[in-house]
């Protein structure tokens, strides 16, 4: 019989054994720190790849504080009067330390109040701007710092894209790491745009107030700081009242920021700033822009401030602007016309006046130099000159009636035909039928060559419709191509710059007498002068007639009245006038003999006042009876006589 104690021991051991073999619960694995580290590592890798894409496009900023080439250009008229001053005064940087403290503080107060404390990007400003924009439902505030604005102005295109904003922020932070706050302010103030074509604090102080930046008063500094938000609207020249009101906002911001006290603000706000206006007329900016576009081609990038002496005459320009403005105001609504251009030059191609549109302040697009428009019948002088060079005479008779050129059937104005008429009469009434027949007779290619020889630079389509001016030209080149009719037959290049010099007087470039040489024979010049004088005395250009001196010219009107022209000349000036609409909308039956001729006459009456009356260059000598002289061949061979048509030869031999 077993002892109970031993059995109990076995049972206890069994229980112990059972418990020994029973599996223990597994410990939970702590893997999340490793996963987090992995995510961070991959985030850094992908973030580096992502930002390296932007970093690779960022420019070098190491030499920003170096003095750059000057783009300060003063443009003078032929009497030494200032027309315009353009460009960035960047020959020597204007250091912030040389300016009164309120000048940089004005910009800080209105544009970036935490400029002295942020690292290039202002999170507080961004958050505030985002909140304000969300509350009103559209963008009313921006969060860009002065440093970001500098980065954008220096390096970036003005695209509103995520990539550009990232680049802007990165550049701002990079600039802050390389330059001090005062250096960044210096860069900003020397490059910011103030409107009216002015960049930089020194150029703005000179252009608007006639002083150096170091001499700016508090109200003037506030006015400049206020213009940065919308330079075209708030610059002092465009709207002095709006600029003054905006300056008051800046002064209020300066008081809130602690830069000035209340008494100083009130005193500055009640001070009316004296704004200096240049001697240039309101729309002389068209000519100044044209001149500026040519300077680099003559002297490259100027290394110092330069003065440009031009052919311009501010008195004549004033008359041109007055004529365009007054006639558009009086007749623009009647004819549904919104734009006009006028170019006036002397018989050697020197531009004296240029109006590129109804208002330079509203639209600086220069229609005189850049607008390509169809000249219509104003192109016909090149057709008739070519015909005369091929043997035709002004007295030759042709039939003004319906024509058919391989299915093309051009009509005369309002479908009226005159029957058998002389070329002189056909030109005076601007017969389309006769012009098309002459072009077919001499070939469109020959007409195109004549126009090019006289100065038309835009490529022309040598097709039958060229006779009616269907190939586009600019007002400047068409006017220049009429100059040979006014100066005795010499081709010219339209020009506005006489010389470019430094302030110290060093001549960088000077115009030398140049020209295209003799481009038409004297007898053909006489014939053309006779025809173009008839246009003004009895033909379509009667409205351009001057009471006290001879005038010659030609009208032009395109199909459906999209463009209308008058180009004419006296012994002193050649003037071209174009009218139309920028969207090419048709006018209300405005022909070259209406509004363009009226503008021409009003301008010429004032521009010619006091000048002696002289005969036209082509009207003095008598017209030769036969074309057997040494006239230049249209193909350039001076040893050959112009080719005669067989019928014209018979007419001269037998008097028929």
């Amino acid at each position: 019989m077993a002892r109970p104690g031993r059995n109990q021991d076995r049972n206890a051991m069994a229980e112990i054994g059972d418990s020994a073999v029973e599996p223990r619960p597994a410990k939970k694995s702590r893997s999340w720190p490793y996963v987090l580290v992995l995510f961070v590592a991959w985030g850094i890798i992908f973030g580096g790849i992502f930002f390296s894409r932007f970093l690779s496009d960022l420019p070098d900023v190491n030499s920003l504080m170096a003095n750059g080439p000057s783009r300060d250009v003063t443009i003078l008229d032929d009497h030494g009067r200032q027309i315009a001053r353009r460009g960035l005064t960047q020959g020597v940087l204007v250091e912030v330390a040389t300016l009164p403290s309120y000048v940089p503080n004005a910009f800080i107060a209105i544009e970036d109040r935490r400029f002295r404390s942020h690292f290039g990007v202002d999170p507080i400003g961004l958050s505030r701007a985002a909140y304000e924009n969300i509350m009103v439902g559209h963008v009313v505030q921006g969060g860009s710092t002065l440093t970001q604005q500098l980065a954008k102005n220096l390096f970036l295109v003005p695209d509103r894209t995520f990539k550009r904003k990232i680049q802007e922020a990165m550049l701002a932070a990079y600039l802050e790491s390389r330059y001090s706050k005062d250096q960044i302010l210096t860069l900003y103030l020397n490059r910011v745009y103030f409107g009216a074509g002015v960049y930089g604090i020194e150029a703005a102080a000179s252009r608007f107030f006639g002083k150096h930046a170091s001499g700016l008063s508090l109200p003037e500094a506030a006015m400049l700081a206020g213009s940065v938000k919308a330079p075209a609207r708030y610059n002092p020249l465009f709207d002095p009242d709006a600029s003054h009101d905006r300056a008051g906002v800046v002064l209020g911001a300066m008081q809130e920021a602690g830069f000035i006290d209340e008494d100083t603000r009130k005193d500055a706000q009640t001070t009316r700033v004296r704004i200096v206006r240049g001697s240039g007329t309101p729309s002389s900016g068209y000519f100044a822009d044209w001149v500026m576009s040519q300077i680099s081609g003559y002297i490259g990038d100027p290394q110092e401030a330069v003065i440009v002496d031009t052919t311009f005459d501010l008195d004549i320009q004033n008359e041109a602007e007055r004529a365009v403005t007054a006639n558009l105001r009086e007749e623009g609504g009647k004819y549904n016309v919104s734009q006009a251009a006028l170019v006036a030059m002397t018989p050697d191609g020197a531009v004296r006046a240029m109006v590129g549109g109804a208002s330079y302040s509203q639209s600086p697009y220069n229609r005189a130099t850049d607008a390509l428009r169809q000249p219509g019948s104003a192109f016909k002088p090149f057709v008739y000159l070519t015909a005369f060079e091929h043997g035709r005479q002004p007295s030759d008779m042709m039939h003004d009636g319906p024509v058919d050129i391989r299915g093309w059937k051009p009509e005369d104005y309002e479908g009226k035909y005159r029957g058998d008429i002389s070329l002189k009469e056909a030109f005076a009434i601007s017969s389309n039928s006769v012009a098309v027949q002459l072009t077919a007779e001499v070939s469109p290619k020959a007409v195109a060559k004549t126009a090019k020889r006289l100065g038309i630079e835009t490529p022309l389509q040598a097709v039958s419709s060229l006779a009616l001016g269907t190939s586009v030209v600019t007002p400047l080149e068409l006017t220049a191509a009429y100059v040979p009719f006014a100066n005795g037959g010499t081709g010219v290049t339209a020009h506005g710059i006489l010389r470019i010099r430094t302030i110290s007087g060093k001549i960088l470039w000077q115009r030398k007498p140049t020209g295209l040489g003799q481009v038409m024979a004297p007898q053909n010049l006489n014939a053309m002068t006779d025809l173009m004088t008839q246009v003004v005395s009895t033909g379509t250009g009667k409205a351009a007639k001057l009471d006290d001196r001879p005038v010659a010219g030609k009208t032009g009107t395109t199909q459906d009245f999209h463009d209308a022209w008058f180009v004419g000349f006296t012994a002193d000036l050649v003037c071209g006038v174009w009218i139309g609409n920028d969207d090419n909308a048709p006018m209300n039956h405005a022909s070259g003999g209406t509004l363009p001729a009226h503008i021409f006459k009003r301008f010429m009456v004032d521009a010619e006042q006091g000048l002696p009356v002289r005969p036209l260059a082509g009207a003095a000598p008598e017209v030769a009876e036969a074309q057997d002289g040494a006239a230049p061949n249209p193909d350039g061979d001076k040893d050959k006589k112009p080719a005669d048509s067989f019928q014209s030869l018979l007419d001269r031999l037998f008097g028929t």
Side-chain angles (χ1 to χ4, degrees):
M1 190 174 167
R3 288 181 295 184
R6 190 173 291 177
N7 291 335
Q8 290 177 352
D9 291 340
R10 289 196 189 100
N11 292 337
M13 292 297 293
E15 291 177 1
I16 292 173
D18 291 340
S19 64
V21 298
E22 185 178 338
R24 297 179 181 179
K27 288 185 177 181
K28 293 183 179 179
S29 175
R30 296 186 177 181
S31 59
W32 64 266
Y34 305 103
V35 174
L36 180 61
V37 170
L38 187 63
F39 272 117
V40 170
W42 279 109
I44 292 173
I45 293 172
F46 282 113
I49 295 173
F50 179 75
F51 283 104
S52 66
R53 174 188 174 189
F54 297 98
L55 286 170
S56 63
D57 293 334
L58 295 182
D60 180 23
V61 300
N62 291 322
S63 59
L64 294 181
M65 296 301 295
N67 291 329
S70 174
R71 295 177 179 84
D72 182 9
V73 179
T74 300
I75 305 173
L76 306 180
D77 82 341
D78 66 332
H79 296 295
R81 295 170 294 188
Q82 181 172 309
I83 302 168
R85 186 177 179 186
R86 295 291 177 85
L88 169 68
T89 303
Q90 176 67 38
V92 178
L93 287 173
V94 178
E95 300 281 353
V96 166
T98 66
L99 302 174
S101 60
Y102 51 72
V103 174
N105 286 343
F107 290 85
I108 292 173
I110 196 64
E111 291 293 323
D112 185 5
R113 200 168 296 182
R114 279 176 289 277
F115 172 74
R116 295 288 183 183
S117 59
H118 63 60
F119 58 91
V121 178
D122 183 11
I124 298 176
L126 286 172
S127 301
R128 184 195 69 251
Y131 174 78
E132 293 292 337
N133 295 338
I134 291 172
M135 292 301 294
V136 299
H138 59 89
V139 177
V140 295
Q141 286 191 20
S144 294
T145 65
L146 286 177
T147 316
Q148 285 177 275
Q149 292 179 42
L150 174 63
K152 177 179 66 176
N153 292 338
L154 284 174
F155 305 117
L156 305 174
V157 295
D159 297 333
R160 292 187 174 184
T161 63
F162 179 71
K163 176 181 178 180
R164 203 218 70 185
K165 296 302 291 184
I166 291 292
Q167 288 178 323
E168 182 183 295
M170 294 176 66
L171 265 174
Y174 188 44
L175 286 172
E176 293 271 354
S177 70
R178 300 299 302 272
Y179 295 102
S180 69
K181 290 290 185 178
D182 280 351
Q183 287 177 317
I184 290 173
L185 269 176
T186 294
L187 291 170
Y188 175 84
L189 292 176
N190 280 272
R191 286 167 170 81
V192 67
Y193 182 57
F194 290 99
V198 176
Y199 291 84
I201 190 77
E202 179 70 16
S206 175
R207 181 68 181 88
F208 300 138
F209 312 121
K211 60 178 64 176
H212 292 293
S214 59
L216 287 169
S217 66
L218 175 58
E220 291 166 344
M223 191 171 280
L224 293 182
S227 69
V228 171
K229 178 181 180 180
R233 177 182 176 188
Y234 290 128
N235 82 74
L237 290 179
F238 178 72
D239 192 337
D241 292 333
S243 183
H244 177 78
D245 294 342
R246 176 66 179 165
V249 176
V250 175
L251 292 168
M254 293 181 73
Q255 181 184 343
E256 291 178 8
F259 293 135
I260 58 175
D261 57 31
E262 184 176 1
D263 290 339
T264 303
R265 177 191 62 78
K266 289 181 178 179
D267 183 60
Q269 199 159 345
T270 56
T271 301
R272 194 70 182 186
V273 172
R274 177 180 174 272
I275 299 169
V276 176
R277 295 187 177 273
S279 58
T281 59
S283 287
S284 58
Y286 292 115
F287 179 80
D289 289 346
W290 181 55
V291 167
M292 289 294 295
S293 70
Q294 301 172 63
I295 291 175
S296 61
Y298 293 138
I299 63 171
D301 288 329
Q303 298 302 306
E304 56 183 305
V306 298
I307 297 173
V308 182
D309 298 305
T310 73
T311 62
F312 206 59
D313 188 314
L314 281 169
D315 296 327
I316 295 179
Q317 174 69 15
N318 186 56
E319 305 298 350
E321 292 177 24
R322 186 181 304 173
V324 170
T325 301
N327 282 94
L328 281 179
R329 182 179 63 249
E330 295 167 4
E331 303 181 82
K334 172 184 176 182
Y335 291 112
N336 187 36
V337 178
S338 61
Q339 289 295 344
L342 182 152
V343 178
M345 61 183 69
T346 56
D348 63 351
V351 175
R352 307 290 273 170
M354 178 182 289
V355 180
S359 170
Y360 181 79
S361 62
Q362 294 180 9
S363 173
Y365 173 65
N366 195 339
R367 295 155 190 83
T369 60
D370 299 334
L372 291 167
R373 309 293 294 226
Q374 292 183 349
S377 294
F379 192 82
K380 287 176 182 174
F382 310 119
V383 175
Y384 278 74
L385 175 59
T386 309
F388 294 154
E389 290 173 340
H390 284 74
R392 284 288 188 176
Q393 294 288 324
S395 59
D396 287 353
M397 302 297 292
M398 293 190 70
H399 185 71
D400 177 36
V403 294
D404 187 337
I405 308 294
R406 293 183 295 276
W408 177 52
K409 301 177 181 180
E411 296 182 348
D412 279 357
Y413 183 66
E414 296 182 347
K416 297 179 180 178
Y417 298 101
R418 299 292 185 92
D420 292 337
I421 56 176
S422 68
L423 292 187
K424 183 175 181 178
E425 184 182 356
F427 189 85
I429 66 171
S430 200
S431 166
N432 288 340
S433 172
V434 172
V436 169
Q437 293 178 62
L438 288 175
T439 300
E441 184 178 291
V442 300
S443 84
K445 185 177 180 181
V447 173
K449 290 177 68 174
T450 298
K452 182 178 180 180
R453 190 174 78 243
L454 267 67
I456 296 296
E457 298 177 350
T458 303
L460 301 172
Q461 294 181 332
V463 295
S464 297
S465 63
L466 181 64
L468 307 184
T470 55
S471 281
V472 294
V473 295
T474 68
L476 177 64
E477 67 177 327
L478 184 61
T479 304
Y482 269 60
V483 168
F485 298 119
N487 69 11
T490 302
V492 302
T493 300
H495 60 278
I497 300 177
L498 294 175
R499 71 185 60 82
I500 304 173
R501 53 191 169 93
T502 66
I503 293 178
S504 61
K506 180 182 178 182
I507 303 297
L508 302 177
W509 181 87
Q510 185 158 344
R511 179 175 179 80
K512 297 179 181 179
T514 57
L516 304 179
Q518 197 73 14
V519 294
M520 70 181 81
Q523 60 267 36
N524 293 330
L525 170 65
N526 297 336
M528 290 303 305
T529 302
D530 188 28
L531 265 61
M532 298 173 83
T533 303
Q534 194 71 24
V535 169
V536 177
S537 55
T538 64
T540 57
K542 288 184 292 184
K545 184 177 181 180
L546 302 180
D547 296 333
D548 64 339
R549 67 192 65 233
V551 181
K554 184 68 183 77
T555 58
T557 309
T558 60
Q559 189 175 18
D560 298 327
F561 302 98
H562 292 291
D563 305 273
W565 304 70
F566 184 84
V567 186
F569 54 91
T570 64
D572 306 294
L573 288 173
V574 183
C575 176
V577 179
W578 164 88
I579 64 168
N581 296 304
D582 287 339
D583 61 0
N584 208 33
M587 297 176 289
N588 186 19
H589 287 81
S591 65
T594 57
L595 183 52
H598 299 160
I599 293 174
F600 173 90
K601 180 173 182 177
R602 176 173 276 179
F603 164 68
M604 293 295 278
V605 166
D606 293 331
E608 297 271 4
Q609 191 171 10
L611 295 178
V613 178
R614 296 188 293 133
L616 300 176
E622 292 184 356
V623 178
E625 292 183 0
Q627 291 183 329
D628 55 2
N633 187 289
D635 293 332
D637 188 347
K638 295 184 179 180
D639 295 327
K640 294 182 180 180
K641 298 178 182 179
D644 288 332
S645 69
F646 181 69
Q647 183 61 49
S648 179
L649 181 61
L650 290 177
D651 290 345
R652 292 203 307 276
L653 291 175
F654 300 102
T656 58

